[in-house]
Amino acid sequence: MIFGVSYYPEITPETEWAADLDRLREAGFTVVRVGEFAWSAFEPREGEYHFEWMDRFLDAAQARGLSVVLGTPTASPPAWLIAQYPQILVQLPDGVRLGYGERRACCVNSEIYRQFSVEIAARLGDRYGRHPAVIGWQIDNELIGPERPRLFECHCADCVWRFRQWLKRKYPSPQAVNDAWGLRFWSLEFSDWGEVAPPLRYRACPGHALDYHRFYSDSLAEYLRLQYEALRARVEARQFVSHNSTAVFDRGIDHRSFARTLNAVGWDAYPGAASAGHGPNPAATALAHDWFRSMLRRPFWIWETTPAAVHDAAFFAEMRARGAHAVLFWLWRTHRANMERGSRSFCDFDGKPYAARLRQVRQLRERLAAVAPSLPSPSPRAPAALLFDPDNVRAEHRLERRPMPYLEGVIRAYLPFWRHGVATDAAHPGDDLTGYRLAIAPGLRLMDEADARALERFVRDGGVLLIFGPAAHLDRHGVYYRRWGEPLSGLLDGVVQPETLPTEGVEIVTSAGENFVCRSGDAEIIRAPNDADILARFRSGPHAGSPAAFTRVVGRGHLFYAATSACAELNRRLARPATERAGLEWVEHAFDDVGVLVEPNGRGRWIFNHGNAPARVLGVEVPPRDFAFLASSAAGE
Ligand code: GAL
């Protein structure tokens, strides 16, 4: 596994670079990530470029055998750009314009900002596209970061214009837009393209909001593509072009569309960052690893994590096991000035390394090299697929509730599989699922008919499908189906009432007589098909008597359907038979914070103990915050 660090030569005295590079090299780091915020150092005034300092830095790295990933600095536009072209600033829905003073102040749809971004990327590409130390590029930095407000999308004049163009490609006329979204209500109809505006209010029409979220996600991908093309045309083929995504999944961003234009993907895996408000949640982090690995089906980068995590071997083992071929720490050295000076690093202000922290990194590196010396590429297909659809985030985006019900359901559905060994890829419900034995479809409230048909085909052809409701209530315009669940009628008899009901405190009884209580969430009132085997019923609340879960044979496959994902115990009781029906191994244990991964290539099993107490799993005692790898032969095969 490659180990590397972020470093900021532009804020470090040049006289200290050599010692820093020697020390980090000696500590075993081989990659340095630089430049992603250095726009004002590269171009202090419009058109005046200064690259000599970076030339010297790269040569110093090269002399020490270090590889460099170079960032394009567009996440931090300099003051001159903002002062001279204030129209490039993001305009939030409430009319507030961002301004000088933070990162990400400029709109990716602004033509002027796009041109300046492409220009600086091209200049860097011309200058360093052949530099032997540069192995790759990172475009921008965290296009969507946790720092941006929830309704983060810009509404500036360029956005309005591009949104209209985007809609014109999708709909033949403004009348078609009115019909698709249902705009006659409240007299929101458009009579001309020139009236079409972004959705400003929280209670904007759902179809309108959905399309704006999609448009904005496409705009981000387009912005990446422009820089990608500028670089790709200039840099050697051996240099990859990437972007550091975040696992911010609650904005309706399609990270996968970013990947389609890039040569490598990766994300900034800070402990707990992926959990969208759930607190540190190792399963959510694992799911993000699965998601990024599945995008290009290749080993991925961890572009950033914190040195504060180095004591947590389970955290690093899990990223490796799920396909990370590199981990870069943020950052090597903290600085005395600036707003991120409190960050964790490997050295003190003078650049003197903390010996204990580096010892921990070394141990980590050695242990991982011993159990997972290399990763196959392409990554082997996992036997199971977890279906995730950003449209379902978009459909809930304007809810006040955080965490979002959809994301909560996704993580709850994933949890038992994460705990008990089932390797999963992340896929979109519209993907070809051929080759998977098991598919898990949590909370696809918005589901179009083509996706529903594909799911049905998957089961008829012999797959095992586990659906957690709410499912198939809305079409892609955010319009309700006449009968909820209708697109899934080949699998399900339908949802009885077009309402989801809250589950907090509602009791469930399984066919084996076990009683469980639901947590907060939503449940459907469903009717099970006649040939279904009812696995659980609601025992109390407005759902009393109706099925909570059933299973049935469909074609050559099996369907498991749960009306809710709000009962963790029920989820587990469905996940196990679904796994076993799919012919996959289920590793039983009783530890909430322990994840197990059976490697899809049959090499062995990983146990990750993310808890604070030792855990005995598969006959092995795993200390807290630690891991074990059992090679298949050692596991008695
Ligand atoms: C990341 C970001 C870095 C730095 C870091 C601090 O999200 O990409 O630039 O701000 O957080 O932890």
Side-chain angles (χ1 to χ4, degrees):
M1 194 173 189
I2 298 166
F3 278 67
V5 288
S6 271
Y7 187 78
Y8 295 91
E10 70 275 27
I11 55 170
T12 311
E14 189 164 341
T15 49
E16 297 175 21
W17 292 353
D20 283 348
L21 292 175
D22 286 341
R23 284 166 173 157
L24 67 89
R25 182 81 187 92
E26 201 176 306
F29 295 108
T30 55
V31 173
V32 189
R33 173 175 164 263
V34 295
E36 81 278 21
F37 300 122
W39 200 336
S40 69
F42 288 136
E43 191 181 4
R45 272 163 293 280
E46 182 174 348
E48 181 186 319
Y49 296 99
H50 290 275
F51 294 123
E52 325 74 45
W53 63 274
M54 184 55 89
D55 297 348
R56 294 194 295 276
F57 179 81
L58 291 180
D59 293 345
Q62 159 79 1
R64 289 163 178 80
L66 288 162
S67 301
V68 174
V69 176
L70 196 52
T72 67
T74 50
S76 53
W80 60 258
L81 185 58
I82 292 172
Q84 289 171 31
Y85 307 97
Q87 64 271 49
I88 69 178
L89 291 166
V90 165
Q91 185 177 331
L92 296 175
D94 54 9
V96 170
R97 279 257 185 202
L98 299 185
Y100 165 84
E102 245 262 44
R103 307 182 278 194
R104 300 238 66 83
C106 298
C107 172
V108 293
N109 278 321
S110 153
E111 191 57 37
I112 297 176
Y113 176 56
R114 283 184 175 191
Q115 286 196 20
F116 274 98
S117 300
V118 166
E119 179 73 25
I120 188 73
R123 298 249 172 191
L124 286 164
D126 283 337
R127 187 109 181 168
Y128 302 119
R130 285 179 176 68
H131 197 291
V134 177
I135 55 165
W137 297 80
Q138 172 192 307
I139 297 174
D140 202 277
N141 187 79
E142 294 187 342
L143 273 174
I144 286 304
E147 64 218 310
R148 291 294 300 278
R150 194 149 61 72
L151 285 188
F152 64 97
E153 290 131 339
C154 181
H155 292 65
C156 72
D158 281 20
C159 285
V160 174
W161 167 60
R162 286 190 203 280
F163 182 45
R164 288 177 190 157
Q165 306 311 310
W166 187 92
L167 288 173
K168 281 183 198 167
R169 288 194 292 274
K170 183 166 174 178
Y171 301 94
S173 64
Q175 288 67 37
V177 175
N178 295 334
D179 291 345
W181 298 348
L183 290 185
R184 176 148 296 185
F185 195 49
W186 294 354
S187 286
L188 291 171
E189 285 171 292
F190 302 115
S191 64
D192 186 272
W193 285 117
E195 295 155 19
V196 178
L200 284 179
R201 313 273 170 185
Y202 263 92
R203 290 219 284 166
C205 181
H208 192 175
L210 270 169
D211 267 337
Y212 202 69
H213 292 314
R214 292 180 188 124
F215 154 74
Y216 209 79
S217 184
D218 286 358
S219 302
L220 293 166
E222 169 80 0
Y223 178 76
L224 272 186
R225 192 182 59 75
L226 293 172
Q227 289 203 42
Y228 175 86
E229 284 171 359
L231 287 172
R232 204 65 277 171
R234 290 169 171 84
V235 309
E236 287 180 349
R238 68 176 174 86
Q239 295 182 349
F240 63 80
V241 181
S242 187
H243 165 68
N244 63 330
S245 283
T246 52
V248 174
F249 290 128
D250 65 350
R251 315 288 158 90
I253 296 307
D254 181 5
H255 294 268
R256 213 160 74 139
S257 71
F258 297 179
R260 283 192 207 109
T261 41
L262 300 171
N263 310 123
V265 296
W267 71 289
D268 292 349
Y270 289 88
S275 56
H278 291 256
N281 182 337
T285 304
L287 178 56
H289 293 322
D290 287 349
W291 185 235
F292 284 97
R293 181 195 63 249
S294 305
M295 288 178 189
L296 298 180
R297 199 175 280 289
R298 282 207 294 273
F300 60 93
W301 290 74
I302 298 297
W303 286 120
E304 294 181 20
T305 193
T306 171
V310 289
H311 66 282
D312 188 345
F315 177 69
F316 290 91
E318 182 133 30
M319 63 173 79
R320 177 63 174 176
R322 292 185 183 274
H325 69 144
V327 56
L328 271 54
F329 289 85
W330 201 91
L331 74 182
W332 171 252
R333 179 173 175 184
T334 26
H335 301 271
R336 290 162 53 230
N338 78 46
M339 38 295 172
E340 295 203 296
R341 62 196 167 164
S343 307
R344 305 301 173 90
S345 76
F346 286 109
C347 4
D348 63 19
F349 291 136
D350 288 325
K352 193 162 155 289
Y354 302 132
R357 205 164 260 183
L358 290 181
R359 207 167 33 247
Q360 282 175 316
V361 176
R362 193 167 307 121
Q363 280 166 4
L364 209 51
R365 207 175 43 238
E366 286 166 4
R367 287 184 66 198
L368 292 176
V371 296
S374 65
L375 290 179
S377 181
S379 313
R381 184 190 265 273
L386 188 284
L387 307 183
F388 178 77
D389 181 359
D391 259 359
N392 276 284
V393 176
R394 296 169 184 144
E396 288 183 354
H397 196 269
R398 284 163 188 252
L399 293 182
E400 292 295 335
R401 230 181 95 192
R402 283 295 183 275
M404 279 182 178
Y406 173 56
L407 292 176
E408 228 171 10
V410 167
I411 293 170
R412 280 176 180 164
Y414 178 74
L415 200 56
F417 298 97
W418 172 79
R419 275 199 191 122
H420 298 286
V422 183
T424 47
D425 287 340
H428 188 276
D431 289 350
D432 179 6
L433 299 177
T434 315
Y436 289 110
R437 289 200 249 167
L438 170 66
I440 306 137
L444 297 173
R445 211 159 59 89
L446 187 155
M447 182 192 291
D448 66 26
E449 300 192 2
D451 291 351
R453 273 197 304 277
L455 290 182
E456 186 178 335
R457 209 162 39 240
F458 171 74
V459 189
R460 291 199 181 280
D461 290 350
V464 177
L465 174 64
L466 171 51
I467 296 179
F468 289 93
H473 299 180
L474 300 166
D475 70 13
R476 290 270 167 211
H477 296 301
V479 175
Y480 284 134
Y481 291 111
R482 279 178 196 281
R483 267 184 79 215
W484 284 9
E486 187 180 313
L488 290 170
S489 57
L491 297 174
L492 170 74
D493 204 10
V495 178
V496 174
Q497 240 163 273
E499 295 176 284
T500 49
L501 300 170
T503 49
E504 178 98 62
V506 167
E507 293 161 296
I508 282 177
V509 56
T510 68
S511 50
E514 295 170 296
N515 290 291
F516 302 121
V517 179
C518 295
R519 283 174 232 168
S520 84
D522 291 327
E524 299 170 320
I525 299 196
I526 55 170
R527 194 165 31 225
N530 291 336
D531 60 357
D533 190 0
I534 308 281
L535 300 174
R537 284 188 188 277
F538 291 105
R539 218 169 75 128
S540 66
H543 321 63
S546 81
F550 68 82
T551 183
R552 69 187 284 232
V553 175
V554 180
R556 289 188 285 121
H558 281 85
L559 170 75
F560 289 80
Y561 194 99
T564 181
S565 62
C567 179
E569 294 84 358
L570 179 66
N571 299 350
R572 212 175 135 267
R573 272 157 188 77
L574 297 174
R576 183 170 185 165
T579 302
E580 289 171 350
R581 276 254 196 280
L584 304 174
E585 180 180 351
W586 175 271
V587 178
E588 188 53 30
H589 67 82
F591 301 94
D592 285 350
D593 297 323
V594 171
V596 177
L597 179 72
V598 179
E599 278 201 6
N601 55 12
R603 215 174 58 97
R605 299 170 179 78
W606 294 83
I607 305 162
F608 315 106
N609 182 3
H610 295 281
N612 295 320
R616 205 172 171 76
V617 176
L618 287 166
V620 184
E621 169 114 345
V622 186
R625 304 271 161 207
D626 207 349
F627 73 96
F629 177 73
L630 311 180
S632 286
S633 52
E637 284 156 337

